[in-house]
Amino acid sequence: VSAFLLNRSSDLEMNWNIDLGGTMFGDFAFYLWGSPFFWLTTLFPESAIPFMMPFLMALKYAVSATCAYLYIRKYVHKYTYAMIGGYLYAFSGFNACNIVFNHFTDAVAFFPLFLLAFDNLMNVPARKDGKFNLAGKPFVLFALMTTFMSVINYYFFFGQVVFLILYFLIRYVDLEDKETVAVRFGRGFAAGVVGVLLAGFFLMQAFV
């Protein structure tokens, strides 16, 4: 964050003030450009960043707990169970041991919404009035969440995709209804590809 604030008025291409030298777009694509928490820091001078860190971490934990609550609430009878689950998720060992690498928490914070969007897409009936159901809004929402999660942190996004594949295999594969499984997989794959393509310009900065 400090490095970006120090160089935000300088060259967006090669910059020797970043690590051992690198591009502003490429080096900051890993954990800054896509983080909504990071953009909050750009509103303040560099000298204020150390004092903002405790509040930013508290905000990240709050977002983590809230997003987890929204996901869990869909599957429990009492909202208190969802609250407990949200707190356990936010204050998990992974988050606790990665306070130094606070940008790791960004990917964790919004992942429950990604999972919730995936569930909503999977639960759309395969057919409607005898015709193939395109899924509509759930398809668009999952594509947009895919874009969002990939730009927050592309490294963690790869792991999240692996998780969703395993989640799909365990929860949504029904060998007695192969048509529904095929439709669900096709929707998820297509929406995921659309999401990645939407984030293409951003992701290319990290690889170029």
Side-chain angles (χ1 to χ4, degrees):
V1 174
S2 297
F4 174 82
L5 293 176
L6 182 64
N7 298 288
R8 57 183 167 185
S9 61
S10 57
D11 192 356
L12 290 179
E13 295 182 357
M14 192 65 179
N15 193 313
W16 294 105
N17 294 323
I18 306 172
D19 297 327
L20 296 177
T23 63
M24 289 282 284
F25 279 121
D27 285 3
F28 290 126
F30 171 55
Y31 62 93
L32 286 183
W33 293 123
S35 171
F37 303 107
F38 157 70
W39 288 106
L40 290 176
T41 66
T42 62
L43 303 176
F44 301 88
E46 182 188 1
S47 59
I49 300 302
F51 303 99
M52 290 181 61
M53 293 308 295
F55 299 100
L56 284 173
M57 287 303 298
L59 179 61
K60 291 181 182 184
Y61 272 73
V63 172
S64 297
T66 301
C67 291
Y69 170 85
L70 293 175
Y71 173 75
I72 299 172
R73 184 69 182 91
K74 188 176 180 180
Y75 300 106
V76 296
H77 297 292
K78 295 183 178 181
Y79 77 93
T80 50
Y81 298 158
M83 290 178 60
I84 294 172
Y87 288 133
L88 291 175
Y89 178 81
F91 293 94
S92 64
F94 179 84
N95 276 348
C97 72
N98 283 305
I99 290 179
V100 175
F101 304 101
N102 58 83
H103 55 280
F104 288 5
T105 312
D106 296 17
V108 175
F110 296 101
F111 179 67
L113 295 184
F114 192 28
L115 196 57
L116 184 60
F118 181 77
D119 280 346
N120 290 338
L121 179 62
M122 293 296 104
N123 290 325
V124 175
R127 293 184 176 275
K128 185 177 181 180
D129 299 328
K131 299 179 180 180
F132 177 71
N133 192 352
L134 295 177
K137 291 182 179 179
F139 183 95
V140 174
L141 180 59
F142 181 69
L144 292 177
M145 280 302 303
T146 300
T147 301
F148 182 57
M149 296 306 297
S150 65
V151 301
I152 284 180
N153 192 307
Y154 61 81
Y155 182 82
F156 281 94
F157 176 69
F158 177 80
Q160 291 166 356
V161 171
V162 173
F163 180 91
L164 285 183
I165 292 173
L166 296 175
Y167 183 72
F168 173 81
L169 292 175
I170 294 172
R171 181 167 184 179
Y172 291 108
V173 171
D174 183 359
L175 297 179
E176 296 181 358
D177 190 355
K178 296 180 180 180
E179 181 186 18
T180 300
V181 173
V183 170
R184 284 173 169 171
F185 179 81
R187 283 178 182 157
F189 181 79
V193 170
V194 170
V196 171
L197 290 176
L198 289 175
F201 175 77
F202 177 90
L203 296 175
M204 285 301 295
Q205 306 304 320
F207 294 101
V208 174

